[in-house]
Amino acid sequence: MTNTKTEKPQVICLDGPSGVGKGTICLCIAAELGWHILDSGSLYRITALAFSRQFPGKAVAEVDESQLADIAKNLDVSYVEKDGRLQILLGGEDVSELIRAEEIGNLASQVAAVPAVREALLARQRAFLQPPGLVADGRDMGTVVFPDAPLKIYLTASAEERANRRYKQLKEKGIDVNLGSLVEELRQRDERDMNRKTAPLKPASDAIIIDTTTLDIDQACREVMNWVDKKIVHR
Ligand code: DC
């Protein structure tokens, strides 16, 4: 068991595929513990947005790896809390909504497959580890970014269920999408994230696997909190 009252901040890793609920679960665990959050996917999404602006109309494969890494290295990004909401600023511009677009998510998955981009974002991600602790969500939190974390959770759910959840979210926002193409896009993204050479999406050997297919968000948060209680002394 790890004592969070020691000086070194602790990290809880939540990894898993797109649409599995990592972001929401991360928020609820961080709120319960009063810890910081790392939404590592947002860094890849911001890199993708910056790429699309710097190289309009170009495919990731058409641009030099070093140029892609420079974009990631030089991101002027900040996370600020405003009116109880976390704002993501790129060069002072609020891009919180913009980076959630499906096409930016797909582009993020492509830039994330470039080893030099991953390397360029590594130190930036580790800098989020501040007292009293961090809840980090992504694809390689437990395998690459924080391999010594005392608690690593790998969340899974069927592609159909994940696409269903996304479909409902988009519908609520008034965005019309086709469920079949959402399932297909998720499968393609899983395929790319799981099969890339650098830091592919996979559970760390010491990760606890939780299938959320039949769990609602409260049940999933309870399940993770049970593991937090077992592995981390926090009260
Ligand atoms: O979690 P997300 O959907 O916001 O992530 C967007 C893309 O970024 C995802 O398809 C893969 C990539 N990503 C990654 O490769 N490693 C991470 N730690 C987080 C995200």
Side-chain angles (χ1 to χ4, degrees):
M1 226 178 230
T2 314
N3 192 340
T4 54
K5 305 239 164 37
T6 55
E7 272 160 34
K8 209 165 159 243
Q10 301 299 318
V11 57
I12 296 170
C13 299
L14 296 177
D15 286 304
S18 300
V20 79
K22 298 184 300 286
T24 315
I25 296 171
C26 181
L27 283 175
C28 105
I29 304 302
E32 287 222 19
L33 298 175
W35 285 13
H36 302 284
I37 283 174
L38 166 60
D39 165 11
S40 61
S42 70
L43 287 170
Y44 290 96
R45 285 173 182 267
I46 295 163
T47 306
L49 178 66
F51 162 77
S52 69
R53 288 177 170 178
Q54 198 165 322
F55 295 98
K58 282 231 173 186
V60 172
E62 290 174 315
V63 174
D64 256 20
E65 192 164 333
S66 64
Q67 284 178 300
L68 294 167
D70 281 346
I71 296 174
K73 253 181 238 152
N74 299 324
L75 287 179
D76 172 17
V77 54
S78 46
Y79 294 77
V80 264
E81 211 174 307
K82 201 176 168 207
D83 308 328
R85 198 176 77 85
L86 196 66
Q87 265 190 356
I88 304 177
L89 304 179
L90 175 62
E93 174 194 351
D94 183 359
V95 295
S96 323
E97 285 294 316
L98 213 52
I99 60 164
R100 299 296 157 197
E102 293 302 300
E103 58 278 19
I104 294 294
N106 287 325
L107 199 54
S109 162
Q110 293 170 46
V111 297
V114 177
V117 169
R118 303 200 72 83
E119 180 63 34
L121 292 178
L122 208 47
R124 208 187 272 265
Q125 294 175 81
R126 289 184 176 145
F128 278 77
L129 182 50
Q130 298 289 336
L134 178 72
V135 188
D137 96 62
R139 305 292 188 289
D140 61 342
M141 298 297 98
T143 50
V144 175
V145 183
F146 302 109
D148 300 329
L151 178 58
K152 299 175 186 174
I153 306 267
Y154 186 89
L155 298 159
T156 65
S158 70
E160 287 76 13
E161 175 58 21
R162 287 183 284 128
N164 245 322
R165 291 174 189 168
R166 185 78 186 128
Y167 180 76
K168 282 190 199 141
Q169 277 173 355
L170 292 171
K171 275 262 164 192
E172 275 162 23
K173 286 189 190 166
I175 303 169
D176 211 17
V177 278
N178 176 289
L179 182 59
S181 51
L182 271 184
V183 175
E184 189 42 40
E185 268 175 31
L186 264 184
R187 288 221 164 92
Q188 279 175 16
R189 200 165 339 155
D190 285 356
E191 168 78 17
R192 199 181 303 115
D193 292 347
M194 287 172 174
N195 294 310
R196 65 177 175 230
K197 287 211 176 76
T198 312
L201 168 64
K202 62 170 186 192
S205 56
D206 50 351
I208 291 141
I209 298 181
I210 300 177
D211 188 335
T212 71
T213 307
T214 61
L215 304 181
D216 65 24
I217 214 69
D218 285 344
Q219 291 170 321
C221 288
R222 285 301 101 222
E223 182 75 24
V224 174
M225 274 313 289
N226 287 340
W227 282 103
V228 172
D229 287 334
K230 275 185 210 156
K231 295 259 190 176
I232 296 189
V233 176
H234 59 93
R235 296 184 222 269

